[in-house]
Amino acid sequence: MAGPRVVIIGAGVVGAALADEISARGWTEVTVVDQGPLPATGGSSSHAPGLVFQANPSKTMTELARYTVEKFCSLDVDGQPCFLQVGGLEVATTPERVTELHRRHGWLTAWGVDSRILTADECVEKHPLVNRERVLAGLHIPTDGLAKAVLAVEAQIRRATGRGVTFLARHEVLDVLRADGEVTGVRTDQGDLAADIVVCCAGIWGPKIARMVGMNLPLTPLGHQLAWTGPVPALAGQTEEAVRPILRHQDADLYYRDRHDTLGIGYYGHRPMPITADEILSVDEADAMPSVLKFTEDDFADAWTETQSLLPATKDAKVEEGINGLFSFTTDGLPLLGESPDVKGFWVAEAVWVTHSAGVGRAVAEWLVDGHCSSFDLHECDVNRFEPHQLSPEYVLARDCQNFVEVYDILHPLQPSGDPRPIRTTPFHARQQELGAFFLEANGWERPHWYEANAPLVEGRSIVTPNDWAARYWSPIVAAEAQTTRETVAMYDMTALKRLEVSGRGAADLLERLCTGKVAKSVGSVTYTLLLDHDGGIRSDITVARLAPDVFQVGANGNLDLDWFTRHLPADGTVQVRDITPGTCCIGLWGPLAREVLQPLTDEDFSATGLKYFRARRAHIGSVPVTAMRLSYVGELGWELYTTADLGQKLWDTLWRAAKPLGGIAAGRGAFNSLRLEKGYRSFGTDMTYEHDPYEAGVGFAVKADKEDFVGKAALERRRADVRRKLTCLTIEDPRAVVMGKEPVYDGQRAVGYVTSAAFGYTIGKGIAYAWLPAELAVPGTTVHIGYFDQRVEAAVAEEPLFDPAMSRLRG
């Protein structure tokens, strides 16, 4: 089949990869346009130094890079290879970086990429130019190497052209044509091209193209220094382009590569140099190419001094040329992939470096042709993941520049975000400040992690301080808050949980079609259910509360859920969906004394029979109207209490006055995470993602197989009979061995899985880690080991939930 008419804007390494991948899947009515010449179009691909390091805390990004390596290794142009697999070497010059290399080795092992920690002597054996006196250790990845980006573009152009794809050089895009909310074509300076689908792969020009359809891309082109030495005497006679591993010296924001008898030096340690897409010169105006700015020698001075120290042989050479090359940066350091929420048929594949280019080409091709991506979990990369404030120019510029500065930094999983902050504060913020809240950010919200006012609760409790890494952004108050929740009652700020309202006479039918569970039940019902993609993978887990015959409140995970509902709205206007999060707030009131706090404040019956578990009702708490849902993500009696933002502080004060005499407290996210893991509650995006199905993830109970139909049902039925891996509960006896997530799990010497969520269970007195393991190992009593930096932590598979398996506390 020829497929729909597709126009790809941009023939760089991403556009060429997409054209190759999509034509290989049978779509050949494809035209690729670029304003520059082929194959060196003048964008970032044309000057990219080509270093491909696969290590990344994101499983998806590592897998995209691994596919890119595998594909480029198979490509050549007239015998010239498109990838030089010389390996990668990351060196540590500080003890902190040595520790970080062990963490990175853990990521690679968890994601299935071979790597090894090297001694200082072994580092010098791999790269003889390295100063033995400077280096403490190294991380070697044999499959890393140098991508020849322009050659890879040419090779993929040839393959796509052989299948019928048309490439048009020197065609500047002037507009994206559309009618009735759908793309119809692309206008270039040499005429119009009809299209059913337009994919923007314009790189640093991406924001300019996206703006043509009213789409705001949170992408900033930033200048990045790349210099080349003259001949280095120690490299004299090197006839091959590269024989040494590509080298990263992240302690100084530097990387290096061979080029015959010279060295390329890349530097991230200089000041951010942002530019807008509109300021980039045209192909004809630029001296060399539009993506290359003038080299600023003063910014490179420290880099050259450090280079001569790490690689002493460079003292006999000098820097002979350099550029400030433009690359795309985003607010969270991840690509921008997917379809516009407003213009059907307009897609983007942006902020993609050479390292991940072929993987992204495959991912987007699958997404377009099949309606979903089967090779990679793309929830982190979906362009529709952002909240509105994350698209503001001030926010985008600040965070993009911050990501440039931090590109090689050692970042803790809980490390607070930088400016601009605070952005979103709940109605309880002033009260939380009075209680000494330690805030971390969640979707822009300032969310308490613990409260200093609870410090006296630590006294008399046996609380073990975890290891140094886990003890960052932690306090013993976290343990005291968790235990107090189990003992008395606590108030949790749950406002950061996204809330959607789905309403209209077609609302019940829409939700029934999208959800795995039965949600069109009686008014007052609350259902835990799943959203699946067409391949049966989990898109989200949500709660659906029926508040009126035609009104449902959905507890969602983020903006992608809103986007999913919106895309499935019926055309007849019988359903509306809106984000009610900004105008509302929520307090989770949980603990064995929760009813003693709440019942005296209302005339409604909040007894065990008056409002049963997983039921909702509207009521007044004091003078505050609320929607009360009998749910608990900490495994205790209690309710989620929702009200409007203007009445939030009044609700807090009302509950606080009633809870305080009973020993009630305000508690933070640190305690919440510990308590939820004791109950085995999953977190979408961490414990389970698009690549997992409900039966693997342990949430098969949320699937009502006897439902007539729902999105993903047919695929799920096929997957049910073949469960090869399971999300598994592990416990750790050593109280200091608290892992953080993303560590590899070993069966003997064999890496067999990876950790998702982890915390210390302050009720059960053990560390808890959830991990993906082969089904045959997910048997209670099985012993495995978790790779935590340079240690192996013993863990045992346990029955779940670890706390209150009879659910008596929840249902009391």
Side-chain angles (χ1 to χ4, degrees), residues 85 89 150 253 295 311 389 449 538 608 637 696 735 749:
Q85 201 158 42
L89 177 63
V150 174
D253 299 304
F295 188 62
L311 308 175
H389 73 272
H449 216 61
I538 301 170
L637 169 69
E696 298 172 327
Q749 296 302 310

Side-chain angles (χ1 to χ4, degrees), residues 245-312:
I246 54 176
L247 181 65
R248 275 208 280 211
H249 176 25
Q250 292 168 298
D251 285 320
D253 299 304
L254 285 160
Y255 63 78
Y256 305 93
R257 57 151 297 179
D258 292 12
R259 188 178 67 180
H260 302 294
D261 63 349
T262 69
L263 285 178
I265 307 169
Y267 186 44
Y268 287 106
H270 55 80
R271 60 192 168 89
M273 303 177 187
I275 189 172
T276 69
D278 295 312
E279 294 174 304
I280 302 172
L281 297 177
S282 69
V283 173
D284 293 327
E285 292 174 323
D287 291 335
M289 61 182 76
S291 61
V292 170
L293 306 181
K294 185 179 179 181
F295 188 62
T296 49
E297 293 184 12
D298 289 346
D299 290 304
F300 195 71
D302 290 344
W304 183 234
T305 299
E306 180 61 26
T307 295
Q308 292 176 308
S309 175
L310 182 74
L311 308 175

